[in-house]
Amino acid sequence: MSSPKREFLFKVLVVGDLGVGKTSIIQRYVHNIYSNCYRATIGVDFALKILNWEKDTVVRLQLWDIAGQERFGHMTRLYYREAAGAFVVCDLGRAVTLQSVQRWKDDLDSKVMLKNGKPIPAILIGNKSDLLPHGARVQNVENMGLELEFKDCLMTSAKDNVNIHEAMSCLIKEMIANK
Ligand code: GTP
Ligand code: MG
């Protein structure tokens, strides 16, 4: 006899400046593919990932890939509705994208919250770690993660498939804990 399955459906937002690698992270996670060419996302794209989480739990992730250019738009309130968690992504090769992290975090916290009024769990991602010299310090990104009360902060490479699954698992744990 099979044991009853728990099922979760989570809406997850992926935000951050233009070209930081949001689409690449999602493509790597969902399809395990990567491309060097850059095609800016227009508005929002969606991807679905279904995974077996522990023995009898199924998690459905609805990933909302929000265009970097939307920071200057008025659509984010609509996109953020009922999200359970978020990634804010910056580009380790471009310091200016780290400066935008606070703007993105504030945008999230002012427009979406959990039913209990708390902020949705958010993870800070420093992407393109493959561009840094091996063992390079990323203290400024980690400090930003602590200062802005992100649940965690991870350095990833969509290109080399580093820490992508770890980042997703980290957020899934936070979202399940809120259930
Ligand atoms: P918008 O849709 O405009 O908001 O950008 P985005 O955040 O979705 O960025 P996208 O994933 O399209 O990636 C932008 C560029 O960065 C592309 O040329 C990617 O190939 C490149 N890129 C993405 N991830 C990595 C990475 O981990 N390492 C390196 N070296 N390049 C990456
Ligand atoms: Mg994109």
Side-chain angles (χ1 to χ4, degrees):
M1 221 172 69
S2 65
S3 57
K5 289 219 168 199
R6 283 196 306 169
E7 293 205 359
F8 294 110
L9 172 65
F10 294 124
K11 172 175 171 178
V12 172
L13 308 171
V14 185
V15 300
D17 275 0
L18 282 164
V20 295
K22 301 175 295 294
T23 301
S24 303
I25 289 169
I26 292 169
Q27 291 296 310
R28 173 60 85 188
Y29 183 60
V30 175
H31 304 295
N32 199 19
I33 54 173
Y34 174 78
S35 159
N36 272 320
C37 35
Y38 173 38
R39 285 178 55 226
T41 304
I42 309 294
V44 60
D45 269 340
F46 305 95
L48 184 68
K49 171 88 173 176
I50 301 171
L51 59 153
N52 290 311
W53 181 264
E54 294 170 344
K55 205 166 71 42
D56 48 14
T57 306
V58 173
V59 171
R60 287 186 164 76
L61 290 184
Q62 198 181 75
L63 296 156
W64 286 53
D65 177 5
I66 294 167
Q69 62 192 20
E70 288 295 324
R71 199 185 87 190
F72 309 104
H74 304 283
M75 295 296 285
T76 56
R77 188 180 297 278
L78 200 64
Y79 297 153
Y80 293 173
R81 274 176 58 180
E82 295 184 22
F87 294 101
V88 178
V89 185
C90 66
D91 178 340
L92 294 173
R94 284 187 297 141
V96 62
T97 65
L98 180 63
Q99 287 162 27
S100 302
V101 164
Q102 176 150 27
R103 303 258 308 259
W104 282 108
K105 182 73 161 63
D106 289 347
D107 198 48
L108 288 170
D109 289 346
S110 64
K111 294 176 181 168
V112 62
M113 62 179 88
L114 298 176
K115 287 206 178 81
N116 63 13
K118 293 200 171 140
I120 62 168
I123 309 268
L124 177 59
I125 288 186
N127 187 44
K128 311 195 189 182
S129 59
D130 55 281
L131 296 179
L132 298 180
H134 191 69
R137 305 212 37 201
V138 281
Q139 203 74 53
N140 53 347
V141 184
E142 283 169 9
N143 289 345
M144 180 76 79
L146 288 173
E147 196 183 311
L148 300 181
E149 297 184 348
F150 280 91
K151 292 289 180 189
D152 210 337
C153 172
L154 284 98
M155 309 311 145
T156 64
S157 169
K159 186 176 181 187
D160 293 348
N161 198 7
V162 174
N163 263 348
I164 303 291
H165 279 77
E166 288 78 358
M168 294 287 172
S169 296
C170 187
L171 187 62
I172 292 169
K173 278 183 205 147
E174 295 288 344
M175 294 188 298
I176 289 179
N178 285 330
K179 280 285 175 180

